[in-house]
Every structure is written in C-alpha cells, then in structure tokens.
Amino acid sequence: MRELMRQLLWLPPQASTFAWPVDRLHYFVITVTMVASILTGLLAFYFFFKYRARRADQSTPLVLPSVKFEIAVIGVPLFFFLLWFVQGFQDYIWYTTPPKNTMDVYVMAKKWMWKFAYAEGGPNAIGTLHVPANRPVRLLMTSRDVLHSFYVPDFRIKQDVLPGRYTETWFEATKPGRYQIFCAEYCGTWHSQMWGEVVVMSGQDFDTWMVEQKAGLAERVDTGGDDGGNMRGSIVEYGKKIAMSEGCLRCHSLDGQPHIGPTWLDLYQRRETLENGESIIADEAYLTDSMIDPRGKVVKGFKPVMPTYKGRLAAPEAAALVEFIKSLRSTSLENLPSKEATYEPAKPSQPTQRR
Ligand code: CUA
C-alpha cells in the first residue's frame, strides 16, 4: 500500500526518517480529499437529473436542512482539518528540532553551487555532501549572494538559505546511496542547474572515508585563492586565523577574562541577558547575527562599541569563526553569564578651569 501510493503519486524514494511520516500525512490528506471530491461530483451529477426542470413554470421549493445535517456538514470536514493540523504540527516540531547529537555540516550556497564544510574538520567539497546513514546530520546554511533553497526530495527536506543569516535543517538518511540536491528558490540564470548530490555511506564506510580525507588534508597545502581554497584544513584553525587577522581578539579574550567584549571561552550555548532584559542563548544564529549587526543584541554590561563585519566577513569566514568559538570550552560544566566589561570609555579631557 505504502509503495503503491508512492508510485501512484510519482513520489521519489523514501530515504530518510522524515520521508514516511511526510508521505503518510500526504496520503491521508489526498485520500480523504479525493474521496470527498468524487462523492461531491457524483452527488452533483445525481441532483442534476433528479431536480431537473420538468415544467417551464416550475419553481424551486424552499429547503430547510435539519440541525443534525448542518452539524454533520460542518463537523466532518472540521474533524479532518483539525486532525491534519495536529498531525502536521507534531511532525513540523520534529522536523525543525535537530537532536543534540548531530553531526554538523556548514552549507554555503552561492550562484550556482553548494559548498560543504564539516564542523569537526575534514574535507570541504563543492556539490557533493558525504554523510553517514542512520546518524542525524545538521546543516547550518547560509548564502553568499541571494536566496536559495536546499532541497533533497528523497529526504523530504527543503529549507531556504539566506544571505546574512543562518538557517538550519537536519535529517537522518536511512539507506546508503546517492541522492540529488536541488535549489528550490529561483536564483537566476542557472537556478535550474544548481545541483548537488548527497552521498550516503554506511556508518563504518563514512568513518573510514573521513579518516582518509583528514589524512589527505594534512598533506595538502593551503592554496589560498577564493574562499573555497582558504577553507582547507581544520575549520577551527581557519577561524582562529580570522579572529587574529580581523582584530576580534583585541576585544574578546579566549581565557575567560572579561574585556571590552564578552569572553569567547564557553560562550557557545551560554545564556546571556541583553541590555533590554531579554535572555538569549548564544547559539550559531546569535553569534553570526552579532558579527553582522553587533549593536542589535548587546549583552548587558557591555558597550555597543563593536563595528559591524557585514561585507567584511564572507559566509565561510563567519562559519569558521563560529566553529572557533564553539571549540573554546573550559572544563566548567556551566556556561555562566558574561561578567561586566572592563572597559571605560576614555573621558574627553577637559581643560582644567582656573580662576
Ligand atoms: Cu540557487 Cu535557485
């Protein structure tokens, strides 16, 4: 039944844990609506004959349906719509909440290609994403230029990818194989050819592959060039380089000492209170936002003195910085809020007044 429906609806194979629940709801909705529309059509056809005009001067009698009938007409569709809503909402929560133990991969979209970088070091690739089967994978995605949308039909995932912002999606592939990636947001001339491929390997194959890739990377020389070339080697190391060259470390310490800005040690996932009293968790999205719009959400106790890095940091550089920050973990189990800044804006020297 499951397979028959899939073929009837011309759906792609079901290759992730999301696929069946998505399809199941789809089948349910489409079956009920098909049955209802066929019944309505047949009934209309029947009435067409039953109530046809028999005489020229025939008038339509007044029809008053019973209350029970009215309740049924409203209640039955309402019941189904609510049922679909509840099912759909539960599934939606699941699709949008990555589990804790995901393998993270950074995805950078640009006209007209997909670039991938592994958070824990590893190869960077254009167009091909290698992932293990039966392990949750989280994609942290951003765009260098315009809106794109990361779409893998076989996994039933689709997520917009935006410039200047991180969006995330996750999936757990179930079968080793090769699966097509499409761009599902019109992004210019070659939008229709902005393809990529997810290569799903068995867990063991993937681990072996990763070890081999890392061994290869160690020998490879940094070729410089565009951002793709720069990202060879460990993404964390790359982030450290950027932190030094962009001057981040002049205001952010790495050892827990408060400075002009909050320390980066244990910053990731730290709960911070903002100036306006709001409380946030310093996740990937917040860290990236703070590079682009540093004065938008300032941590309480600090001055809004950081310049914006919008246009100065390419998306992969921002990603590398985030990974670098994430790597700075002390042994403390708790992420305590940032202490106050040790920064006193220099007072304008005032001429001493004498009489
Ligand atoms: Cu990228 Cu369409």
Side-chain angles (χ1 to χ4, degrees):
M1 189 64 195
R2 179 167 162 173
E3 189 54 23
L4 177 73
M5 281 294 278
R6 191 184 70 75
Q7 290 188 0
L8 275 178
L9 296 169
W10 295 355
L11 294 174
Q14 296 164 337
S16 83
T17 50
F18 292 153
W20 170 236
V22 169
D23 289 0
R24 185 177 53 195
L25 187 59
H26 183 176
Y27 298 168
F28 184 20
V29 172
I30 211 155
T31 306
V32 172
T33 47
M34 283 289 281
V35 169
S37 62
I38 289 169
L39 280 180
T40 311
L42 288 177
L43 212 58
F45 206 63
Y46 167 67
F47 288 167
F48 181 66
F49 286 100
K50 181 157 192 251
Y51 297 108
R52 70 185 186 279
R54 292 186 170 84
R55 297 189 315 271
D57 61 340
Q58 188 184 3
S59 63
T60 312
L62 178 67
V63 181
L64 285 174
S66 69
V67 175
K68 271 187 197 159
F69 180 77
E70 293 268 16
I71 290 175
V73 165
I74 296 168
V76 171
L78 187 67
F79 168 76
F80 280 106
F81 283 120
L82 287 177
L83 196 62
W84 295 332
F85 165 74
V86 170
Q87 184 62 57
F89 186 68
Q90 281 175 352
D91 288 350
Y92 176 78
I93 298 289
W94 178 40
Y95 307 146
T96 50
T97 316
K100 285 245 149 42
N101 58 337
T102 54
M103 182 185 97
D104 290 354
V105 180
Y106 282 98
V107 179
M108 211 268 296
K110 75 179 213 187
K111 292 195 251 181
W112 287 275
M113 60 178 75
W114 299 102
K115 293 189 178 185
F116 304 100
Y118 293 84
E120 284 136 35
N124 299 289
I126 294 179
T128 312
L129 169 65
H130 288 79
V131 295
N134 305 313
R135 270 187 230 164
V137 176
R138 180 169 68 141
L139 305 178
L140 290 152
M141 309 193 286
T142 192
S143 163
R144 269 193 73 144
D145 37 42
V146 298
L147 266 76
H148 302 273
S149 184
F150 186 88
Y151 179 34
V152 184
D154 296 359
F155 294 170
R156 308 290 189 275
I157 56 166
K158 186 194 275 178
Q159 173 62 52
D160 277 9
V161 182
L162 290 78
R165 199 194 294 182
Y166 270 82
T167 51
E168 65 174 16
T169 187
W170 73 282
F171 63 87
E172 189 176 324
T174 47
K175 286 177 221 157
R178 310 174 85 92
Y179 305 96
Q180 181 95 54
I181 302 167
F182 291 98
C183 176
E185 183 72 59
Y186 181 65
C187 56
T189 317
W190 300 112
H191 156 73
S192 59
Q193 285 178 33
M194 191 171 161
W195 293 335
E197 194 178 44
V198 184
V199 177
V200 177
M201 309 163 103
S202 72
Q204 213 176 3
D205 286 355
F206 178 81
D207 292 338
T208 320
W209 176 84
M210 190 52 117
V211 169
E212 282 169 6
Q213 293 292 319
K214 280 184 179 167
L217 278 174
E219 291 159 17
R220 216 185 292 176
V221 190
D222 189 338
T223 51
D226 88 330
D227 50 80
N230 274 329
M231 280 175 69
R232 301 238 166 87
S234 156
I235 192 169
V236 171
E237 277 302 311
Y238 181 49
K240 190 174 180 181
K241 263 191 234 166
I242 293 166
M244 292 192 285
S245 65
E246 291 293 329
C248 311
L249 305 183
R250 267 179 250 142
C251 301
H252 297 281
S253 74
L254 303 181
D255 58 0
Q257 287 304 309
H259 198 36
I260 296 169
T263 181
W264 280 0
L265 187 70
D266 292 327
L267 173 59
Y268 179 63
Q269 293 294 357
R270 189 193 291 162
R271 179 175 285 283
E272 295 277 37
T273 308
L274 302 181
E275 275 185 320
N276 61 8
E278 237 178 80
S279 158
I280 54 106
I281 298 276
D283 56 6
E284 287 90 351
Y286 174 74
L287 295 176
T288 321
D289 277 356
S290 297
M291 297 174 202
I292 308 299
D293 179 20
R295 295 173 191 198
K297 291 175 180 167
V298 177
V299 175
K300 202 173 168 194
F302 291 89
K303 299 267 186 314
V305 290
M306 178 172 156
T308 176
Y309 281 79
K310 191 176 182 178
R312 276 178 65 181
L313 289 176
E317 294 173 337
L321 276 176
V322 170
E323 276 312 315
F324 177 51
I325 294 171
K326 282 166 73 173
S327 74
L328 299 165
R329 317 295 294 171
S330 68
T331 46
S332 85
L333 294 171
E334 255 188 299
N335 291 357
L336 299 170
S338 295
K339 291 179 198 120
E340 299 245 315
T342 52
Y343 168 72
E344 276 295 312
K347 290 193 185 89
S349 53
Q350 285 181 353
T352 17
Q353 290 184 354
R354 277 185 202 169
R355 297 209 169 179

